[in-house]
């Protein structure tokens, strides 16, 4: 019963987190736009003038509240349950972008939002219960196993290659580079957040976990990686369309986080094949929803509409010209 209760608390916190984080994308985007309009160097070009913009800080505060709720959610529920619920932030972000940023949400985008919601419900109903952890040392032992150490090394090398080799050349052209850095580091950050969250939860229960140096290592690790994610997420938001950044970031981040959680916490060890398949189907449903949101982002774009109508206008002009020429010849 305690495991089920913890999952319920985790779900409520995760949903609250999604609302705040989804709104923060829009508020920060408006702040970045206002900062760019003042003539300062844009964040996408390496500038930090947005730090002087109150609107950006309002978005940052909103994100901090959302991340705080998300942080608490990881202390109660497994990552495989909490992380996919981030799809709700995509819905919030897409709807607000439609009304506030005028980044039009097409009908198929609405269908995408519904798919994200359905997939999230499937995962919530079949998610595994949180494994029993008595001390932060239990988390440290899981993180010290060979499988997770290999995964960590691969992620660190990939992030360094992206930052020093690909960002200078292709960062302004390919969104996946910025989002890749955020997602790779994010998968490790979640594992650290979960460790610190469990430490705080146990400490509040009267079992002080800050007497272990491992707790402080996890804390420092989380701070460094959060700052790294924040920097490159700002670059992505300032350079590319918010309606695209949010779903792509969600897909990459969620996939890598679930992979990291499977390796470290072995969430699926005590589940039946039916439960695992249902969760995977729910996740694929969410991915389908984000794909729809991504592919239909330009359907409401005025430029795309003009491009479609242009040939027809040309045909009309050509027809009128031919008729005029015919009249002249007849005269």
């Amino acid at each position: 019963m305690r495991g089920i209760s913890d999952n319920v608390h985790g779900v409520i916190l995760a949903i609250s987190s999604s609302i705040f984080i989804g709104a923060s994308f829009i508020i920060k985007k408006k702040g970045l736009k206002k900062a760019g309009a003042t003539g300062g160097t844009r964040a996408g070009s390496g500038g930090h003038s947005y730090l002087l913009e109150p609107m950006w800080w309002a978005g940052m505060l909103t994100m901090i509240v959302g991340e705080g709720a998300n942080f608490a959610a990881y202390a109660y529920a497994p990552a495989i349950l909490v992380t996919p619920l981030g799809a709700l932030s995509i819905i919030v972000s897409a709807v607000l972008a439609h009304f506030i940023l005028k980044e039009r949400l097409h009908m198929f985008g609405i269908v995408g939002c519904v798919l994200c919601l359905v997939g999230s419900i499937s995962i919530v109903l079949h998610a595994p219960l949180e494994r029993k952890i008595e001390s932060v040392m239990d988390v440290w032992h899981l993180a010290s196993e060979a499988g997770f150490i290999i995964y960590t090394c691969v992620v660190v090398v990939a992030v360094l290659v992206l930052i020093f080799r690909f960002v200078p050349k292709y960062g302004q052209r390919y969104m996946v580079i910025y989002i890749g850095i955020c997602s790779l580091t994010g998968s490790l950050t979640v594992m650290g957040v979960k460790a610190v969250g469990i430490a705080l939860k146990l400490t509040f229960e009267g079992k002080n976990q800050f007497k272990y140096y491992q707790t402080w290592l996890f804390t420092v690790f989380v701070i460094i990686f959060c700052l790294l994610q924040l920097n490159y997420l700002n670059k992505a938001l300032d350079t590319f369309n918010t309606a695209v950044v949010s779903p792509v970031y969600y897909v990459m981040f969620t996939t890598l986080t679930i992979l990291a959680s499977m390796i470290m916490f072995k969430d699926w060890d005590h589940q039946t094949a039916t439960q695992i398949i249902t969760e995977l189907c729910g996740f694929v449903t969410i991915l389908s929803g984000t794909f729809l949101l991504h592919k239909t982002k330009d359907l409401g774009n005025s430029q795309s509409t003009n491009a479609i109508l242009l040939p027809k206008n040309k045909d009309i002009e050509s027809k009128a010209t031919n008729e005029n020429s015919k009249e002249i010849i007849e005269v």
Side-chain angles (χ1 to χ4, degrees), residues 17 46 68 75 87 93-94 99 128 136 143 153 194 209 217-218 223 246 301 322 325 328 330:
S17 169
S93 180
F99 290 105
V136 75
C153 291
K194 190 164 183 62
Q209 300 298 303
L217 282 178
F218 281 126
I223 293 172
S246 297
N301 190 298
N322 290 336
S325 300
I328 293 172
E330 290 175 352

Side-chain angles (χ1 to χ4, degrees), residues 118-119 121-127 268 272-285:
V118 171
I121 292 174
S122 297
I123 290 177
V124 168
L125 293 178
H126 298 86
W268 286 343
T272 64
T274 301
Q275 290 175 311
I276 294 174
I277 291 173
T278 303
E279 289 167 25
L280 288 174
C281 288
F283 183 54
V284 171
T285 302

Side-chain angles (χ1 to χ4, degrees), residues 56-298:
W56 183 86
W57 282 106
M60 190 63 198
L61 179 61
T62 306
M63 177 168 277
I64 289 173
V65 173
E67 292 294 352
N70 200 44
F71 183 94
Y74 281 113
Y76 286 96
I80 198 171
L81 169 60
V82 176
T83 306
L85 288 179
L88 300 180
S89 68
I90 298 175
I91 299 175
V92 174
S93 180
V95 172
L96 291 180
H98 175 81
F99 290 105
I100 297 176
L101 300 180
K102 306 306 179 184
E103 296 176 358
R104 187 176 175 187
L105 182 64
H106 193 268
M107 180 181 67
F108 289 108
I110 297 175
V111 175
C113 291
V114 173
L115 287 175
C116 290
L117 186 60
V118 171
S120 298
I121 292 174
S122 297
I123 290 177
V124 168
L125 293 178
H126 298 86
L129 298 178
E130 177 74 307
R131 66 185 296 159
K132 190 174 181 180
I133 295 179
E134 300 291 345
S135 167
V136 75
M137 293 304 297
D138 293 341
V139 183
W140 180 259
H141 291 316
L142 292 171
S144 302
E145 292 183 357
F148 190 71
I149 290 177
I150 293 173
Y151 176 80
T152 302
C153 291
V154 170
V155 167
V156 171
V157 170
V159 168
L160 292 176
V161 170
L162 286 173
I163 291 175
F164 293 107
R165 184 174 179 82
F166 289 93
V167 166
K169 293 183 179 180
Y170 309 109
Q172 295 290 314
R173 294 166 54 191
Y174 301 107
M175 178 184 61
V176 70
I177 294 175
Y178 290 148
I179 300 303
I181 295 171
C182 293
S183 301
L184 286 166
T185 55
S187 67
L188 294 181
T189 303
V190 168
M191 300 302 103
V193 164
K194 190 164 183 62
V196 176
I198 290 172
L200 286 171
K201 178 185 173 185
L202 292 174
T203 299
F204 290 144
E205 291 176 355
K207 304 173 184 176
N208 182 22
Q209 300 298 303
F210 287 88
K211 62 184 179 181
Y212 303 114
Y213 75 88
Q214 287 87 350
T215 303
W216 296 102
L217 282 178
F218 281 126
T219 303
V220 172
F221 175 83
V222 167
I223 293 172
I224 293 174
F225 272 67
C226 280
L227 292 175
L228 185 64
Q229 284 178 257
L230 179 62
N231 181 48
Y232 285 98
L233 182 57
N234 278 329
K235 291 179 182 291
L237 283 172
D238 193 46
T239 308
F240 305 98
N241 191 311
T242 308
V244 182
V245 171
S246 297
V248 173
Y249 177 44
Y250 168 78
V251 171
M252 293 184 67
F253 171 73
T254 304
T255 302
L256 291 169
T257 299
I258 289 177
L259 176 62
S261 182
M262 287 171 56
I263 295 173
M264 181 172 173
F265 289 97
K266 304 174 180 62
D267 294 315
W268 286 343
D269 278 2
H270 303 291
Q271 285 198 293
T272 64
T274 301
Q275 290 175 311
I276 294 174
I277 291 173
T278 303
E279 289 167 25
L280 288 174
C281 288
F283 183 54
V284 171
T285 302
I286 294 174
L287 294 186
S288 301
T290 56
F291 177 78
L292 263 182
L293 281 169
H294 172 60
K295 295 301 290 184
T296 60
K297 67 181 181 357
D298 292 328

